[in-house]
């Protein structure tokens, strides 16, 4: 249960970290660029070229400029345009030309006179770069204009593509609405533009546009050709053909000549429809057309992508945690698809949901949880499998090793109960039962200790002891076995080394080496135990003249259950577990085992132990062995 809780917490932490990372990156240039690109892509998919009903662009194009004296002749050209239009007349004429400077007196007079005849005139004004005020057209022009509109757009963020205009700008405490908005107001015969912190209203139209975001309005660019464009040169040359197109409409007049203008901007449509950025005058006409169509793309509040990212990440983590296997993976895939589809669905409802946070949170959460699951959860499973296997082996070991003393106890007790025998013999059998039961108890305790040691659950009970005494005690225990096989036990203790370590476990280890040496030797040979002190270490060498083994077999010796073929053929019983336990004990003491062996010549098993200083003698609570 605790493991499950921890796993759940880790999945939750991955989901949270994924969301945080995704949201933070979404606020950087990288995230914004991604959002922009997706917006442009979706925008191009849905853009239509339904012809605009009430707006026309009157373009002062390259040819017009060339034929009419370039920019110097601009005021005269505008005067001619207005005079010609007066015959239509349009409902609104919005002039996207900065007239703030004074021109030649004749030109200004001609333009003033033309403006005086024009109904619904909107003139452009630009902000001074420092924001201190407006570059308004000079007085005569102003008086004829029914409104002044600013011509600022809002590129980006983080690129030069124009997706939005700003409806309202303030400079030098003077507020100006956008040129397109003023044109729209006049086209609807409204006197006022109302605003609240969240929208702008003109007659019946409500444009969602937040004041705290700089009053943006996304321009719903219509495809190429949707807004009719007439060159001024054509209008002036053939007014009778062109004027009907402008009667009662809103006409945006501006320079589109490549050579003369600087306010061309890329739009989301640019890559698909044309390879040139769009002139400012056309952008204003498009903004007007957006208002005229009355449907607006609205940015969702900042919290929406954050919440979607959070929900998707946590749902993914929950799927990984609660639904293992295919149902979980299917749900995760579904959530990933949902994270990608959400911005598209929002877009179709004219809501702009910034996709970076949800999409990247989905990917991060999916990959994070997936990697964690495969790496760590699987590792946990493998570990518990391994534990199970280890306990199975342990069980076999216990069963096998316990059988020998049990058989002796069983046999002796049967003899005792069945037959009358002399006291001397009874005593012998009684002692045998006693010693074999002690052996049993010792084996069980040692075995449990080794299990706990290898599971990392037990500390060594470090006590000081003498190497000689350890050898003597092992030899004493092995004497009976050696005698039965007629093998001579010899020992040479070269140095009276004092060691520290878990004496019981080390005795188990050395005893195992000695009994192996006896088991795998034939009668008439000797087994020799030598204790040497080499530097900071003590070496216990157990040498025999037995069956030996090849070098390849030496390499496999410490594997659990491994037995050499000759050992199996020798008829000696064994489990192949003893040496692996010896190895664990010695390793836990910071030592190692060295094996030298030759087939049919014998082996030397050397247990090398460091002389560790006694850190914490702990003898209490030890079972009797
Ligand atoms: P067991 O003796 O119960 O089979 P061990 O783990 O103690 O298990 O030993 C593993 C194997 O190593 C033995 O089966 C035997 O093949 C080989 N072995 C161990 N000690 C000796 C030795 N002194 N001489 C020859 N072979 C040995």
């Amino acid at each position: 249960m605790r493991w499950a809780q921890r796993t759940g917490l880790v999945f939750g932490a991955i989901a949270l970290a994924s969301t945080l990372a995704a949201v933070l990156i979404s606020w950087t240039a990288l995230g914004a660029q991604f959002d922009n690109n997706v917006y442009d892509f979706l925008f191009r998919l849905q853009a239509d070229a339904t012809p605009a009903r009430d707006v026309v662009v009157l373009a002062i194009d390259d040819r017009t400029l060339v034929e009419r004296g370039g920019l110097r002749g601009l005021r005269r050209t505008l005067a001619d345009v207005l005079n010609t239009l007066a015959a239509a007349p349009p409902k609104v004429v919005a002039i996207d030309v900065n007239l703030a400077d004074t021109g030649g007196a004749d030109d200004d007079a001609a333009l003033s006179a033309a403006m005086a005849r024009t109904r619904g005139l909107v003139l452009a004004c630009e902000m001074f770069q420092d924001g201190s005020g407006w570059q308004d057209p000079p007085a005569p022009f102003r008086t004829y204009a029914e409104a002044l509109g600013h011509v600022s757009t809002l590129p980006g963020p983080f690129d030069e593509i124009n997706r939005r205009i700003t409806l309202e700008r303030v400079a030098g405490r003077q507020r100006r609405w956008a040129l397109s908005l003023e044109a729209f107001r006049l086209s609807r015969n409204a006197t006022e533009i109302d605003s609240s912190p969240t929208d702008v209203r003109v007659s019946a139209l409500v444009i969602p546009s937040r004041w705290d975001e700089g009053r943006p309005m996304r321009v719903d660019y219509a495809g190429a050709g949707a807004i009719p464009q007439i060159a001024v040169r054509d209008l002036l040359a053939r007014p009778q053909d062109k004027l009907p197109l402008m009667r009662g409409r809103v006409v945006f007049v501006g320079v589109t000549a490549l050579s003369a203008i600087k306010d061309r901007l890329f739009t989301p449509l640019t890559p698909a429809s044309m390879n040139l950025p769009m002139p400012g005058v056309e952008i204003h006409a498009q903004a007007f057309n957006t208002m005229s169509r009355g449907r607006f793309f609205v940015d969702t509040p900042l919290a929406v992508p954050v919440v979607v990212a959070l929900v998707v990440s946590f749902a993914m983590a929950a799927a990984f945690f609660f639904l293992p296997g295919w149902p979980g993976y299917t749900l995760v895939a579904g959530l990933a698809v949902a994270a990608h589809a959400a911005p598209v669905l929002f877009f179709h409802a004219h809501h702009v949901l910034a996709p970076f946070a949800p999409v990247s949170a989905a990917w991060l959460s999916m990959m994070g949880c997936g990697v964690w699951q495969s790496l760590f959860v699987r590792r946990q499973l493998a570990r518990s499998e391994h534990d199970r296997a280890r306990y199975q082996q342990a069980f076999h070991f216990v069963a096998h090793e316990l059988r020998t003393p049990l058989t002796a106890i069983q046999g002796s007790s049967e003899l005792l109960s069945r037959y009358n025998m002399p006291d001397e013999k009874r005593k012998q059998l009684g002692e045998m039962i006693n010693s074999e039961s002690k052996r049993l108890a010792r084996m069980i305790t040692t075995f449990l200790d080794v299990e706990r040691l290898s599971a990392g659950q037990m500390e060594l009970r470090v006590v000081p002891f003498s190497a000689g005494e350890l050898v003597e005690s092992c030899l004493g225990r092995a004497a009976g076995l050696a005698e039965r096989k007629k093998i001579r036990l010899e020992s040479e203790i070269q140095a009276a080394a004092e060691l520290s370590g878990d004496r019981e476990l080390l005795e188990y280890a050395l005893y195992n080496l000695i009994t192996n040496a006896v088991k795998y030797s034939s009668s008439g040979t000797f087994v020799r135990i030598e204790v040497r002190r080499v530097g900071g270490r003590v070496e216990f060498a157990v040498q025999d003249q037995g069956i030996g083994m090849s070098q390849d077999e030496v390499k496999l010796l410490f594997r659990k259950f491994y037995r050499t073929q000759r050992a199996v053929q020798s008829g000696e019983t064994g489990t192949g577990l003893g040496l692996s336990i010896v190895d664990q004990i010695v390793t836990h003491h910071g030592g190692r085992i060295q094996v030298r062996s030759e087939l049919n010549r014998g082996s030397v098993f050397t247990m090398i132990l460091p002389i560790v200083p006694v850190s914490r003698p702990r003898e209490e609570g030890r079972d009797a062995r």
Side-chain angles (χ1 to χ4, degrees):
M1 187 60 198
R2 271 166 75 213
W3 182 77
Q5 273 171 350
R6 225 193 60 203
T7 312
L9 276 180
V10 174
F11 275 129
I14 291 174
L16 190 66
S18 307
T19 312
L20 278 179
V23 168
L24 287 179
I25 300 172
S26 77
W27 291 336
T28 64
L30 180 75
Q33 199 54 59
F34 180 86
D35 290 342
N36 285 342
N37 288 343
V38 173
Y39 175 83
D40 294 350
F41 174 75
L42 292 175
F43 193 90
R44 284 198 291 277
L45 284 185
Q46 62 86 54
D48 62 28
T50 314
R53 282 173 289 116
D54 51 1
V55 58
V56 177
V57 170
L58 199 48
I60 302 170
D61 59 1
D62 283 305
R63 281 169 161 259
T64 309
L65 272 189
V66 169
E67 288 172 14
R68 301 185 60 89
L71 286 175
R72 275 178 295 116
L74 197 55
R75 287 172 191 237
R76 179 72 62 179
T77 306
L78 283 175
D80 291 348
V81 165
L82 291 180
N83 286 330
T84 311
L85 284 178
K91 179 136 199 185
V92 176
V93 180
I95 300 182
D96 176 26
V97 175
N98 188 351
L99 296 169
D101 55 332
T102 35
D106 290 352
D107 292 350
D108 278 2
L111 185 52
S112 291
M115 284 183 180
R117 305 174 61 195
T118 307
R119 284 195 293 128
L121 181 66
V122 187
L123 293 183
C125 57
E126 275 180 47
M127 199 187 253
F128 284 114
Q129 262 194 346
D130 58 5
S132 60
W134 293 99
Q135 309 174 35
D136 285 339
F141 302 150
R142 272 208 67 162
T143 43
Y144 300 121
E146 287 185 40
L148 295 180
H150 79 76
V151 286
S152 304
T153 51
L154 267 183
F158 295 108
D159 62 15
E160 287 306 311
I161 294 184
N162 192 72
R163 302 174 184 87
R164 306 169 301 163
I165 62 162
T166 170
L167 294 176
E168 177 188 2
R169 291 211 92 174
V170 176
R173 300 222 180 138
Q174 257 188 322
R175 173 171 74 180
R176 292 283 156 78
W177 298 107
L179 183 77
S180 49
L181 186 62
E182 288 287 11
F184 183 77
R185 174 177 72 82
L186 293 178
S187 76
R188 298 297 186 267
N189 302 318
T191 48
E192 286 291 324
I193 296 172
D194 293 327
S195 63
S196 78
T198 54
D199 52 45
V200 171
R201 289 154 197 266
V202 182
S203 68
L205 182 75
V206 179
I207 308 172
S209 175
R210 294 185 66 91
W211 172 80
D212 54 1
E213 288 171 8
R215 286 264 187 249
M217 183 194 82
R218 287 195 182 261
V219 180
D220 189 2
Y221 286 98
I227 295 179
Q229 209 175 98
I230 297 163
V232 164
R233 162 178 179 276
D234 294 341
L235 170 75
L236 297 179
R238 281 172 287 120
Q240 65 287 1
D241 290 352
K242 303 295 177 189
L243 278 179
L245 296 172
M246 282 175 260
R247 184 163 298 132
R249 302 219 162 125
V250 175
V251 177
F252 281 83
V253 188
V255 180
T256 62
L258 262 184
S259 54
I261 54 161
K262 51 191 182 335
D263 69 336
R264 272 179 178 268
L265 289 169
F266 286 95
T267 73
L269 287 185
T270 312
S273 59
M274 57 194 100
N275 47 19
L276 272 182
M278 194 179 267
V281 63
E282 199 181 330
I283 291 175
H284 301 307
Q286 292 271 12
F288 174 91
N289 192 40
T290 305
M291 295 172 206
S292 184
R293 289 207 246 180
R295 281 199 75 182
F296 302 95
F297 282 101
V298 186
D299 289 85
T300 58
L302 212 64
V304 176
V306 176
V307 170
V308 176
L310 202 68
V311 169
V312 168
S313 312
F314 273 90
M316 278 190 173
F320 271 107
F321 182 56
F322 291 112
L323 289 177
W326 282 111
Y329 296 140
T330 314
L331 183 57
V332 167
L335 286 164
V337 172
H340 289 74
V344 181
L345 297 177
F346 269 72
F347 193 86
H348 280 292
H350 272 66
H351 285 284
V352 181
L353 169 70
F356 185 87
V359 168
S360 57
W363 279 101
L364 287 176
S365 184
M366 183 161 61
M367 292 192 303
C369 292
V371 167
W372 195 81
Q373 192 189 49
S374 60
L375 281 188
F376 294 89
V377 179
R378 284 200 188 161
R379 191 186 291 174
Q380 292 280 1
L381 284 179
R383 190 181 293 172
S384 57
E385 277 293 306
H386 177 76
D387 283 353
R388 219 163 55 88
R390 209 159 54 84
Y391 275 98
Q392 260 177 6
Q393 290 172 5
F395 182 78
H396 287 302
F397 172 73
V398 175
H400 191 276
E401 289 290 294
L402 300 193
R403 207 181 293 145
T404 323
L406 269 180
T407 316
I409 293 170
Q410 207 179 10
S412 310
S413 55
E414 246 179 55
L415 285 177
L416 273 178
S417 59
R418 271 200 203 165
Y419 305 106
N420 274 332
M421 51 184 77
D423 278 356
E424 185 61 21
K425 192 69 188 165
R426 292 180 81 84
K427 199 173 158 217
Q428 245 182 21
L429 287 175
E431 274 169 6
M432 155 90 101
I433 290 174
N434 185 273
S435 72
E436 286 302 299
S437 341
K438 276 188 182 157
R439 199 175 131 208
L440 256 182
R442 196 162 43 224
M443 272 170 59
I444 291 172
T445 317
T446 307
F447 170 70
L448 290 177
D449 282 357
V450 169
E451 274 305 292
R452 271 182 263 153
L453 266 181
S454 59
Q457 289 170 352
M458 203 186 86
E459 281 181 37
L460 294 174
R461 290 174 194 134
V462 179
V463 291
F465 62 90
S466 108
E469 185 214 329
L470 185 77
V471 173
E472 290 307 334
S473 130
C474 290
L475 286 176
R477 285 173 60 194
L481 186 68
E483 210 176 311
R484 277 198 291 280
K485 284 197 77 172
K486 300 205 167 33
I487 287 171
R488 194 153 37 91
L489 290 181
E490 293 175 3
S491 67
E492 186 184 338
I493 296 161
Q494 291 176 1
E498 283 295 318
L499 278 176
S500 56
D502 194 314
R503 193 191 175 288
E504 305 289 342
L505 292 178
L506 289 173
E507 182 176 330
Y508 177 91
L510 185 61
Y511 178 70
N512 247 274
L513 297 183
I514 296 172
T515 49
N516 273 349
V518 174
K519 264 161 71 177
Y520 301 115
S521 297
S522 42
S523 51
T525 59
F526 68 83
V527 168
R528 182 181 168 79
I529 296 108
E530 257 182 49
V531 179
R532 300 183 289 262
R533 197 174 156 163
V534 184
R537 298 184 309 260
V538 177
E539 297 183 353
F540 297 83
V542 180
Q543 184 190 359
D544 64 51
Q545 298 174 306
I547 57 176
M549 68 196 87
S550 71
Q551 291 315 302
D552 290 341
E553 289 171 324
V554 169
K555 287 180 198 149
L556 305 171
L557 214 52
F558 296 101
R559 284 196 186 170
K560 278 183 179 157
F561 301 113
Y562 179 75
R563 300 195 74 199
T564 62
Q565 226 163 23
R566 307 187 109 245
V568 177
Q569 286 161 358
S570 74
E572 289 287 350
T573 53
T575 56
L577 280 168
L579 278 184
S580 79
I581 294 176
V582 170
D583 188 44
Q584 278 179 41
I585 293 174
V586 174
T587 311
H588 268 81
H589 280 82
R592 66 194 165 89
I593 301 223
Q594 201 179 57
V595 184
R596 278 189 291 123
S597 189
E598 229 178 297
L599 268 179
N600 299 323
R601 306 281 302 259
S603 320
V604 185
F605 281 71
T606 311
M607 179 166 89
I608 305 169
L609 291 173
I611 303 174
V612 214
V614 181
S615 55
R616 196 146 53 105
R618 253 184 48 187
E619 283 196 286
E620 73 280 1
R622 188 82 180 191
D623 299 337
R625 297 174 190 219

